[in-house]
Each structure stands twice: as structure tokens, then as C-alpha cells.
Amino acid sequence: MTGWLKIVGLGAGAEKWLTPEASDILHTATDIIGYTPYVNALPKTVSAKLHASDNGVEVARAEYALSLAAGGAKVAVVSGGDAGVFGMASAVFEAIENGEQNWRELDIEVTPAVTALLAASARIGAPLGHDFCVISLSTYLKPWEIIEKRLRASADGDFVLAIYNPTSKHRAEDLQNALKIMRETRAGETITIIATHVGRAGEEITISTLADLNPELITMNSLLIIGSSHTKTLARAQKKPNKLQFVYTPRFYK
Amino acid sequence: MTGWLKIVGLGAGAEKWLTPEASDILHTATDIIGYTPYVNALPKTVSAKLHASDNGVEVARAEYALSLAAGGAKVAVVSGGDAGVFGMASAVFEAIENGEQNWRELDIEVTPAVTALLAASARIGAPLGHDFCVISLSTYLKPWEIIEKRLRASADGDFVLAIYNPTSKHRAEDLQNALKIMRETRAGETITIIATHVGRAGEEITISTLADLNPELITMNSLLIIGSSHTKTLARAQKKPNKLQFVYTPRFYK
């Protein structure tokens, strides 16, 4: 077989965060497959045939990509951020596991990228300077019980916690429930960061305490970071208005 | 002040993972400061004055960078991987917090990058397909008690666990102690990945179970990933010898 399938993270929003390897793949692929907003955001220089599809059809999209590659196409499956962090990579492996035997003979590769968490953290300073946990809050993919268990475990370990997919139109109560657990298990003065549309038009970052956090600012395009007991703010002296303070977690734990 | 300080992640090893933003900064800086191996691995086209220093002097390096920037230099402080994940970013903010007041007036930015965990995961499939924790095992920076608490919390939450800085010449017993806790708290058949020198010459990746994991293969250049109860291997049918199986964690949790 001459086809291949490469699973590509586009980086979190901005082309300045697209790696050279990912860019090379996008410019060599004959076919690019992904969720519509990511396909629409590809570099203008890409000349591959584009296949955009809706949210929620990840395995069908992966199967289509695999069948194209098995037919000889050079296929890039794209995700925003890093494809291995709540992106298309696992969906492709699920499709391979349950799919045609010859899909396992394909040349399959994943290329890493800047995930939203790293982009949001860089924008605000260094909130991940110490140990951290990453949880997707989507109850489409797992029962609430395991989410609750993980929220509590992350507090028990005093980890910095990053929450992907904090809310969506159809499950706003999950975020309310998660905040309730966080407020039960962590101090009210814990530093929190809401980072929305990071690296894209309309980027918005808000720092507050867990007690004062306003859930209205959290959208399906937000990432939520809850600090550990050591995470702190650091005021800038800059005269520039609208410059946020820094947030960082020291390397040392006392 | 005309100087600036930008904290730059070089990506995990390979130039193909260096973002355009990071590359631009390296090519605009007048001075680049970092741990010797990272300074030695800069792209050959960089013409800045290079300041290499040893491991363990992170705050002194940060102070030197800040004083250069305060004097008008355009300074890039470099880390391997992402500077916000056990890299130089927190050290710079520590230095600012405890340093000269005018350092807070500087133009300071962090740029995100591909951290070792994302690179290692991409190489092997999608082990981070679900929720995960990240812990540095270095007891230089925190007491063993908090490491133990976090190892246990990560098992309580059935998180995939990534361990940075798993060992060094002077603290081999920390890894032995950590493995003991992991073997007490997770099943013997849990999938593990040892990824060494990812993206660089001598890259080596080993998959095994937690019961069979050979600690001799773990060096100070390794990243260790411990799967959740759902992490699994997926055999390739490829005829190519030496091709590892894939490892992935399904998106769904049952």
C-alpha cells in the first residue's frame, strides 16, 4: 500500500504554533479530514482535498480516513491543539481496533502539537510550574461518577487541575456540579484561570479566586485551570493598561 | 526600556517540533540563555550571543537574563520541551518576585511548545486519550511525602500518569519507592511506556506491563507513562520488523 494516515495536531489556534512537521504533512497530504472549524482554519497554502464533518462523529470520520488511506490516499486527520489530548488520535485507534484487518498494515503516525493547556498557561505565566492533572468534563464519554472521583483525587493530591470541555449547551449542570466539588475540596482563595479562544480572535483570559469565579464566563471554547495551594499571582508594574497579572506555580513545594 | 525577555520552549528534541513563534524569537533575540545541552542544540541559523549554564542554577540564570533585558537586551531564555512544564518559566517568575522592582516593568512573554509527554505519546499512539496526571519525581524540589500523596491520588482517580525526571544519579531510590507505590495501587497488567531521548538521536521506547517493567531502562532522559485501567495495546500487522505496537486509551470510560 502506498497510502498513509497521519494524525495531526494543528496547535492551539494560531499558525505561529503549528509545528514544521505538522505543516509538512498538511502540504503533502492528498486528503485532509476533520471537524469543520479546524478544516476551515487550515493554512491557505494547503492544496489537499478537504473533508469537513460535524462534531460527535469522530469514529465515522476516522473510518472514512482509514478507508481513503487503504485506497492509496495520503490522509491527514486534523484536530485542534494536540490530537492525542481529547482529539482524534484515540478515535482513529478505536476505529482500527474494530475495523478491517488491512487497516493495521497502513503506515500510521501521530504528530505532537501545542495543546490548549500549554497555550493558555504560556499566555498567563507558568501556572503548570509544578505537578498537574488534566480532566475532560464531558459526560458524553464517561459517567459522572468517574469525573467526581477524579476531581476529588486531584484535590487530595493538591494538583493544579486543568479542565477541558468544561461546558456545552446540553450539559451545563456538569460544570455546576464540578464547581461545587472543587469549592468543597479546595480553599476559596485558590487561583483560577478561565482561558477562552486562546491563540484565536476573541481571546479572553480571566483570573480570579475559586470563591469569586464567575461560571458565566465559561463557554464551550474555554479551558479552566484551578491552581494548587501554591499557585499565586504576581503583579506587573507595567503602565500598559489591560495587562493581566502573571500567574505561576513555584517549582518548590514546602 | 527597549529590552525584552521571552521564555521559549524548544519542543521535545527535534527541530521539526519547534514552533514558528519560538523560531522567530530565537532569530530576533540578541542573547539566548539556557542549560548547556539546549543552547548547544539551537538551530545553526541563530546568531544571538549564547550564554550556556549548568543544571541546578535556574534562578541565577533567570536573574542574569532579567538583568540583561533590563539593560536593553532582547533575551530568550530557553528550555527543552515546554518551558512551563518543569522548565525555566517558573524560575523566571520566582526571580521576578524576589528581584528588582524594575524587572516587573519588562516586556515578558512565554511561548508554548511541545512538551516531552506529548511527543512521547504521539510516538506510541494515544496513551493520553483520556484524563491524565503529570508528576515530576524530583525530590530536590519537594518532599517525598507530597510525591507519595500524588502517586496515590493518581491511582485513586485511575488517571493515566506521566512521570518527568524519574531518576538521576543521586536519587535512584525515589524511583524504586515510586514503583513500589504504583505496584501496590495499580494492577500488574497496567500498560507502561518508557520513552527515552524522544525526538533525538538514540530515541528508545519500551512498552511493558507494570509487573514486568524493567527500571534499568529508565534514565534521567526518560519519561515514564503508567496507563489507566483502560489503556491498551493494539498490534500492528505491518511486516516491518522493530515496529512497536500502538498504545492508546479509549475516549470512553465504562
Side-chain angles (χ1 to χ4, degrees):
Chain A
M1 288 196 237
T2 56
W4 47 248
L5 187 147
K6 301 194 184 188
I7 308 163
V8 179
L10 299 177
E15 245 180 82
K16 63 185 176 182
W17 296 330
L18 182 71
T19 68
E21 183 177 63
S23 180
D24 283 351
I25 294 168
L26 297 176
H27 290 92
T28 337
T30 57
D31 296 80
I32 300 180
I33 298 181
Y35 176 41
T36 307
Y38 303 133
V39 169
N40 289 343
L42 290 171
K44 300 289 169 243
T45 45
V46 164
S47 61
K49 190 168 173 194
L50 305 181
H51 309 262
S53 49
D54 269 353
N55 210 352
V57 297
E58 286 73 19
V59 169
R61 182 187 300 145
E63 289 168 346
Y64 181 56
L66 286 157
S67 64
L68 282 179
K74 298 180 190 344
V75 181
V77 175
V78 296
S79 279
D82 181 278
V85 178
F86 312 120
M88 279 298 296
S90 282
V92 170
F93 293 110
E94 285 165 30
I96 294 171
E97 183 162 23
N98 302 308
E100 298 177 21
Q101 192 58 30
N102 69 342
W103 290 352
R104 297 184 187 217
E105 289 166 38
L106 284 167
D107 183 6
I108 291 170
E109 269 178 39
V110 186
T111 174
V114 173
T115 183
L117 172 61
L118 300 184
S121 300
R123 282 293 201 229
I124 200 73
L128 305 179
H130 208 69
D131 306 331
F132 60 96
C133 285
V134 181
I135 298 179
S136 166
L137 216 63
S138 172
T139 43
Y140 288 132
L141 300 170
K142 60 196 158 195
W144 171 255
E145 290 66 34
I146 184 73
I147 295 177
E148 172 162 355
K149 201 169 160 185
R150 286 175 175 166
L151 291 170
R152 292 187 185 278
S154 78
D156 286 346
D158 194 21
F159 284 98
V160 173
L161 171 63
I163 295 186
Y164 280 70
N165 306 315
T167 192
S168 81
K169 266 176 286 188
H170 306 295
R171 45 176 193 83
E173 72 285 359
D174 291 342
L175 175 61
Q176 296 300 336
N177 293 335
L179 281 174
K180 189 164 169 286
I181 293 169
M182 288 190 262
R183 285 172 169 154
E184 276 167 28
T185 53
R186 298 189 187 238
E189 63 264 33
T190 302
I191 303 295
T192 67
I193 301 160
I194 302 169
T196 304
H197 286 304
V198 171
R200 282 171 288 169
E203 178 180 285
E204 188 120 12
I205 300 182
T206 309
I207 303 168
S208 73
T209 62
L210 183 54
D212 292 337
L213 181 139
N214 177 4
E216 301 287 319
L217 300 177
I218 300 173
T219 74
M220 60 179 288
N221 298 303
S222 304
L223 178 88
L224 174 61
I225 300 176
I226 311 291
S228 75
S229 64
H230 283 46
T231 303
K232 52 168 87 174
T233 56
L234 177 63
R236 302 194 198 217
Q238 286 191 71
K239 282 98 198 171
K240 297 175 196 164
N242 306 322
K243 270 277 181 186
L244 287 169
Q245 14 180 20
F246 295 114
V247 177
Y248 86 100
T249 305
R251 298 167 304 143
F252 292 89
Y253 195 98
K254 278 155 200 150
Chain B
M1 288 198 235
T2 56
W4 47 248
L5 187 147
K6 302 196 183 185
I7 308 164
V8 178
L10 298 177
E15 245 180 82
K16 64 184 175 184
W17 295 331
L18 181 71
T19 68
E21 184 176 62
S23 179
D24 283 352
I25 294 170
L26 297 176
H27 290 93
T28 335
T30 56
D31 296 80
I32 300 180
I33 299 183
Y35 176 41
T36 308
Y38 302 133
V39 169
N40 289 343
L42 290 170
K44 300 290 170 243
T45 45
V46 164
S47 62
K49 190 168 172 194
L50 306 180
H51 308 263
S53 49
D54 270 352
N55 211 352
V57 297
E58 287 74 18
V59 170
R61 182 187 301 144
E63 289 168 346
Y64 181 56
L66 286 157
S67 65
L68 283 179
K74 299 180 191 341
V75 181
V77 175
V78 296
S79 279
D82 181 277
V85 179
F86 312 121
M88 279 298 296
S90 282
V92 170
F93 293 110
E94 286 164 31
I96 294 170
E97 182 161 25
N98 302 306
E100 299 178 20
Q101 192 59 30
N102 70 341
W103 290 352
R104 297 185 187 215
E105 289 168 37
L106 284 166
D107 182 7
I108 292 170
E109 268 179 39
V110 186
T111 174
V114 172
T115 183
L117 173 61
L118 300 183
S121 299
R123 281 294 203 228
I124 201 73
L128 305 180
H130 208 70
D131 307 330
F132 59 95
C133 285
V134 180
I135 298 179
S136 165
L137 216 61
S138 173
T139 43
Y140 289 132
L141 300 171
K142 59 196 157 195
W144 171 256
E145 291 65 34
I146 184 72
I147 295 177
E148 173 162 354
K149 200 169 160 184
R150 287 175 175 167
L151 291 170
R152 292 187 186 278
S154 79
D156 286 347
D158 195 21
F159 284 98
V160 174
L161 170 63
I163 295 185
Y164 280 70
N165 306 315
T167 192
S168 81
K169 265 175 286 188
H170 305 295
R171 46 176 193 85
E173 72 285 358
D174 291 342
L175 175 61
Q176 296 300 335
N177 292 337
L179 281 174
K180 189 164 167 286
I181 292 168
M182 288 190 261
R183 284 172 169 153
E184 276 167 30
T185 53
R186 298 188 188 239
E189 62 264 33
T190 302
I191 303 294
T192 67
I193 301 160
I194 302 169
T196 305
H197 286 303
V198 171
R200 284 172 287 169
E203 178 180 284
E204 187 120 14
I205 299 183
T206 309
I207 302 167
S208 74
T209 62
L210 183 55
D212 292 337
L213 180 141
N214 177 5
E216 301 286 319
L217 299 177
I218 301 173
T219 73
M220 59 180 287
N221 298 303
S222 303
L223 178 88
L224 174 61
I225 300 176
I226 311 291
S228 76
S229 64
H230 284 45
T231 304
K232 52 168 86 172
T233 57
L234 178 63
R236 301 194 198 218
Q238 286 189 71
K239 281 97 197 172
K240 297 174 195 162
N242 306 323
K243 271 277 183 186
L244 287 168
Q245 18 181 16
F246 294 114
V247 176
Y248 86 100
T249 306
R251 298 167 305 142
F252 292 88
Y253 195 96
K254 277 154 199 149

